[in-house]
Amino acid sequence: MAILKFGIYSFLGLLAFLAPVTIGGESSIIMGHLKNFVLDNYSNLVTFLIMFCSVITIAGTILGLVKKKFNEQYLNELFVTDKLSAVLRVGGSLMFIVISLGIAPEFLSNENTGGLMAGDMIPPLMVTFFVGVMLMPLLTSFGLVEFIGTLIAPIMKKLFKVPGYAAIDALASFLGDGTIGIVVTDQQYQKGYYTQREAAIIATSFSIVGISFAAVVADLLKFSKIFWVFYGTIAFATVVAGFIIARLPLKKFKDEYYNNNKVEEGEARSFSHALNMATTTASKASEKEILVDSLFKVIVIYITFIPVIMCVGSIGLVIAENTNFFSILSMPLMPILKMLGFTHEVASQMAPAMIVGFSDMYLPALFIENTGSEVARFIVGTLSFAQLIFLSETGMILVNSKMGFSILDVAKFFILRTIITFPIIYTIAMVLLKFGILTN
């Protein structure tokens, strides 16, 4: 029964997230079809839900700042945070409310700035995260992560110079969410599974934003039909970057365990052991508990993540629309992009998009979505994931972890990953162009 449970649920998960299905003449993954159905038929309800969550976020976050701690842990997880995150949450919620009510100033509400975020970006995000998080346990809770992770554990040390335990962390990120990967890595580091250096490598090499959010960006950039190519490029560039970063000095991060704790790693595992791990996990999985947990995760995303995207995204777009800040900052990239064959117009759109992701990883897609060149959209879209570090989420989590990251360290890793992954992604894009999968 357990092996059947593992097989059926894992197959459904792979089908939902990775298999393109044609419905009504449109080819997309099942999650994309569900999102389109909800937005086409219940858009007003989605807007009302965002307004409701915005009010709850404002009230709860302010109360959390005053009280510092609630008696209920779930309230702490939702509303207790640092001052910067609180400002971003409240700010993003207020922005959505005033824009939706039509009382925001023009510079914030116009269709190229906050109006774009509130009208075209946040509603699809709300729906996609709901569908994605509710379906994600099919991949992560019934043994697939343990099965694949156990099989690839023996090669983790050889390729990335980290223990086999890191395979689970990496898969949790790829199949789930980058923040989950960082939090798990930090916890494992404190328990003694990794040295500080190993934890830094894992957290900055594998904790990418998961499939569900990648589907949002792929859809925005019109790559749903080739989603497996889009995400496969991200995964490949991430793995190569991890291989390279694992061999860099990283002098600040020592080969020392947190508080001298150390957990010894077991021996290499076989296929039968991997299957046993998977079936054991599947047998313990409770559908009811998973459903309740997934619903809570959706609420956490709606309260803690969506408002930050709204705030950081709107501010970034206002700056981009009304100033030359990102264009000036990205000027050194212009001659490189022109040398690679991009026109001045396309290069001028790509350059700022390649660096704005340090603020929030959703911004590059917004900067580049209207570019006619599929190659440019593909490069920027995949690069924004492969860069991995963005201050609105993963960057701040790294800084707040026990692994020893500072804001400067976070910026260094963002630049490093950009330098490493861009040539890889560009090469893949050129191959896809040659075979007619992309157009320039």
Side-chain angles (χ1 to χ4, degrees):
M1 180 60 71
I3 192 169
L4 194 62
K5 192 175 180 181
F6 157 62
I8 292 174
Y9 281 124
S10 297
F11 173 76
L12 291 175
L14 292 171
L15 183 66
F17 283 93
L18 298 179
V21 177
T22 301
I23 298 178
E26 181 179 350
S27 177
S28 179
I29 57 175
I30 291 176
M31 196 175 72
H33 287 300
L34 290 173
K35 180 208 71 174
N36 292 335
F37 174 79
V38 173
L39 290 174
D40 290 342
N41 296 279
Y42 303 100
S43 59
N44 290 335
L45 185 61
V46 172
T47 300
F48 173 79
L49 175 63
I50 303 171
M51 292 281 282
F52 177 76
C53 290
S54 297
V55 173
I56 297 298
T57 299
I58 293 169
T61 303
I62 293 175
L63 189 59
L65 286 174
V66 174
K67 288 181 66 69
K68 308 294 185 186
K69 187 177 182 180
F70 295 96
N71 293 329
E72 298 290 341
Q73 180 56 37
Y74 72 91
L75 290 177
N76 289 324
E77 189 170 347
L78 286 171
F79 301 121
V80 176
T81 186
D82 59 273
K83 291 181 180 178
L84 175 59
S85 295
V87 169
L88 293 176
R89 290 183 194 179
V90 173
S93 299
L94 282 173
M95 285 179 186
F96 186 88
I97 291 173
V98 297
I99 290 171
S100 298
L101 294 177
I103 57 176
E106 198 281 332
F107 76 89
L108 179 62
S109 63
N110 80 66
E111 61 182 12
N112 293 320
T113 57
L116 177 68
M117 293 296 299
D120 297 339
M121 302 303 158
I122 298 302
L125 272 183
M126 293 286 283
V127 178
T128 300
F129 274 125
F130 179 84
V131 176
V133 172
M134 296 306 295
L135 292 178
M136 187 56 64
L138 295 172
L139 292 177
T140 60
S141 299
F142 294 97
L144 184 63
V145 167
E146 285 75 13
F147 179 72
I148 299 176
T150 301
L151 286 178
I152 67 175
I155 68 173
M156 295 299 287
K157 193 72 176 180
K158 292 182 179 179
L159 287 180
F160 307 111
K161 299 186 179 296
V162 296
Y165 301 115
I168 304 298
D169 293 30
L171 284 168
S173 296
F174 275 98
L175 299 178
D177 184 81
T179 59
I180 295 173
I182 295 176
V183 171
V184 170
T185 301
D186 188 37
Q187 291 174 347
Q188 298 292 76
Y189 166 59
Q190 293 179 55
K191 291 177 182 178
Y193 286 91
Y194 311 131
T195 65
Q196 185 187 32
R197 175 186 170 83
E198 290 169 344
I201 292 171
I202 297 165
T204 59
S205 297
F206 304 118
S207 299
I208 70 170
V209 177
I211 291 176
S212 59
F213 194 73
V216 175
V217 174
D219 183 57
L220 176 68
L221 298 178
K222 301 177 178 63
F223 293 126
S224 292
K225 293 182 180 179
I226 57 166
F227 178 73
W228 65 272
V229 177
F230 185 85
Y231 199 75
T233 299
I234 296 167
F236 179 73
T238 299
V239 168
V240 174
F243 179 85
I244 295 172
I245 290 174
R247 285 156 177 77
L248 298 178
L250 305 181
K251 294 180 180 179
K252 177 179 177 178
F253 299 95
K254 310 297 183 183
D255 278 315
E256 299 172 357
Y257 290 89
Y258 186 77
N259 289 340
N260 293 319
N261 294 331
K262 183 179 180 180
V263 176
E264 296 294 339
E265 187 174 17
E267 59 187 40
R269 298 139 183 179
S270 63
F271 179 87
S272 60
H273 183 64
L275 189 60
N276 181 61
M277 291 266 294
T279 53
T280 299
T281 299
S283 66
K284 294 178 180 178
S286 164
E287 286 87 344
K288 182 179 178 180
E289 290 179 1
I290 290 170
L291 179 62
V292 172
D293 181 63
S294 296
L295 284 171
F296 181 68
K297 286 179 179 177
V298 170
I299 296 172
V300 169
I301 289 173
Y302 284 0
I303 299 296
T304 67
F305 187 38
I306 295 294
V308 174
I309 291 181
M310 179 67 199
C311 186
V312 176
S314 297
I315 292 173
L317 289 172
V318 168
I319 293 173
E321 181 75 6
N322 297 283
T323 73
N324 293 322
F325 176 76
F326 291 116
S327 296
I328 294 172
L329 202 60
S330 62
M331 283 181 65
L333 297 176
M334 289 291 292
I336 298 175
L337 293 172
K338 287 182 179 180
M339 183 180 68
L340 292 175
F342 294 101
T343 65
H344 178 82
E345 180 183 0
V346 172
S348 64
Q349 292 174 307
M350 288 181 68
M354 288 169 61
I355 64 168
V356 73
F358 185 59
S359 298
D360 186 277
M361 70 81 52
Y362 199 48
L363 287 179
L366 298 182
F367 273 44
I368 202 72
E369 66 165 322
N370 294 320
T371 300
S373 170
E374 283 190 347
V375 171
R377 296 201 307 273
F378 184 87
I379 290 174
V380 171
T382 52
L383 180 65
S384 66
F385 282 86
Q387 287 168 326
L388 188 147
I389 309 292
F390 53 103
L391 287 180
S392 66
E393 191 179 281
T394 55
M396 296 309 298
I397 294 174
L398 285 171
V399 171
N400 291 324
S401 72
K402 299 293 185 181
M403 290 180 277
F405 284 87
S406 66
I407 290 289
L408 182 59
D409 295 324
V410 167
K412 287 179 179 178
F413 273 99
F414 175 83
I415 295 171
L416 177 62
R417 292 190 62 84
T418 302
I419 293 172
I420 293 173
T421 57
F422 176 77
I424 300 168
I425 291 171
Y426 174 79
T427 301
I428 293 174
M430 291 300 101
V431 172
L432 295 176
L433 177 64
K434 181 176 179 61
F435 283 93
I437 298 174
L438 296 177
T439 59
N440 201 353

